[in-house]
Amino acid sequence: MNYQETSKILTIYTREFGSMGVIVKGARRAKNKFGASLEPLAHINAILYIKESRELQLLTDAELISSFTKTQQNFDRLFLSLSILELTYIVTRYAERSNEFFDILLEVLYAIESATKSVLILFYYFEAQVIRLLGFKPSLVGCSECSKSIPELAQNDIRHARFDFDRGSFTCTECLSISEGDAAFDLEVFHIWEQLTVLNVKNVMDIGLNRELQSDLDRVMTRYLELHQPEMRTLRAKQMFESIRPE
Ligand SMILES: [Zn+2]
């Protein structure tokens, strides 16, 4: 946001200090030295003056590493990247700094920038990683009652399950004694969620996601995140993405 005559206040996410608010003096002068480095998404090397007692720190210089030019020119990529930043802001605002979180955030943003196919899976990958890093990854390898794995259940022609959002586990239709049609989720959703948790970002682009699975994955993961993260609200950029995106 704008501050005083020529300054700006920004929220940045840093490797060394986590999330922080900074003032950039002179950022709105016609001939300022910052260029694209203060735009949303910019990956920068920043020079900061930090005083623990201050709420806002001082950013005096910024060297642009990437402004994600391909992402800026593509609707899907831009809105998903902005959703990822919003999510980062929500979950890191009061959190300790984390190298791993920083690295995953960068990896995902660069993967979106250089992707050759649909980037939606990368958003779910980021959500799965956030859930893992916050420490409430659900138990996804087998049914909470009979412990059968998803492939074992499939062999017995069981393909659906209910998800217990409080306990973070799923239960197959056989254990629930309900018919397949009454269960909320296709088991494939939990299989994909598990893969998104354990795989490296380079391998997730190969996960196939049809429209139905995508909608289920969105429903289960986003709601689960919201339940465990009181700060979490529906992401504005993602709402925009969904309302404008052609079917
Ligand atoms: Zn079961």
Side-chain angles (χ1 to χ4, degrees):
M1 62 182 173
N2 292 339
Y3 179 68
Q4 291 180 344
E5 290 294 292
T6 59
S7 303
K8 260 186 184 178
I9 292 178
L10 316 171
T11 302
I12 59 174
Y13 185 61
T14 69
R15 184 191 294 279
E16 285 81 1
F17 306 100
S19 181
M20 65 196 300
V22 293
I23 294 185
V24 190
K25 292 183 175 163
R28 281 156 51 230
R29 281 206 188 95
K31 280 186 183 166
N32 73 76
K33 59 183 174 179
F34 296 102
S37 29
L38 303 181
E39 295 302 315
L41 267 186
H43 179 204
I44 60 174
N45 273 325
I47 295 183
L48 302 163
Y49 286 88
I50 292 178
K51 255 192 215 162
E52 298 262 320
S53 56
R54 270 195 313 225
E55 204 162 307
L56 286 170
Q57 309 300 337
L58 206 57
L59 184 153
T60 57
D61 217 338
E63 175 201 0
L64 186 66
I65 301 169
S66 174
S67 55
F68 297 92
T69 45
K70 280 189 201 140
T71 299
Q72 304 277 3
Q73 291 161 15
N74 177 285
F75 181 82
D76 283 12
R77 292 178 198 215
L78 181 59
F79 276 80
L80 287 180
S81 296
L82 292 176
S83 303
I84 284 169
L85 290 191
E86 273 191 88
L87 184 51
T88 299
Y89 176 68
I90 292 164
V91 299
T92 64
R93 206 155 19 150
Y94 307 111
E96 295 284 299
R97 58 172 289 274
S98 158
N99 274 346
E100 197 183 359
F101 197 110
F102 187 90
D103 289 339
I104 287 171
L105 172 64
L106 267 193
E107 278 172 12
V108 171
L109 293 177
Y110 278 104
I112 291 174
E113 169 78 358
S114 61
T116 51
K117 41 188 169 181
S118 168
V119 291
L120 203 48
I121 191 76
L122 290 166
F123 179 78
Y124 300 118
Y125 174 74
F126 188 71
E127 277 196 330
Q129 295 299 318
V130 166
I131 289 168
R132 177 179 70 80
L133 289 167
L134 294 177
F136 48 82
K137 179 194 172 288
S139 162
L140 298 166
V141 282
C143 168
S144 65
E145 294 292 325
C146 64
S147 303
K148 284 192 187 114
S149 70
I150 293 169
E152 277 178 288
L153 291 167
Q155 273 171 13
N156 296 320
D157 224 23
I158 301 164
R159 298 182 192 281
H160 291 83
R162 284 246 172 93
F163 187 67
D164 185 325
F165 285 88
D166 294 321
R167 285 163 62 199
S169 60
F170 68 83
T171 310
C172 77
T173 48
E174 189 155 86
C175 293
L176 289 169
S177 307
I178 57 169
S179 69
E180 286 279 301
D182 292 333
F185 297 105
D186 190 319
L187 276 169
E188 184 65 14
V189 167
F190 303 111
H191 177 62
I192 293 172
W193 190 348
E194 176 70 15
Q195 284 184 294
L196 292 174
T197 305
V198 298
L199 283 178
N200 184 294
V201 69
K202 291 179 187 73
N203 305 112
V204 297
M205 292 305 284
D206 298 328
I207 297 174
L209 207 58
N210 63 34
R211 192 93 192 141
E212 246 162 53
L213 284 175
Q214 183 243 306
S215 133
D216 273 7
L217 198 58
D218 199 279
R219 220 154 39 95
V220 71
M221 285 176 67
T222 305
R223 196 174 139 203
Y224 187 67
L225 244 180
E226 280 170 8
L227 264 173
H228 285 82
Q229 194 64 34
E231 283 284 308
M232 175 86 182
R233 57 199 181 337
T234 309
L235 305 173
R236 280 174 304 157
K238 190 148 174 289
Q239 274 180 339
M240 290 272 286
F241 173 76
E242 276 154 9
S243 63
I244 307 170
R245 190 170 198 247
E247 285 293 306

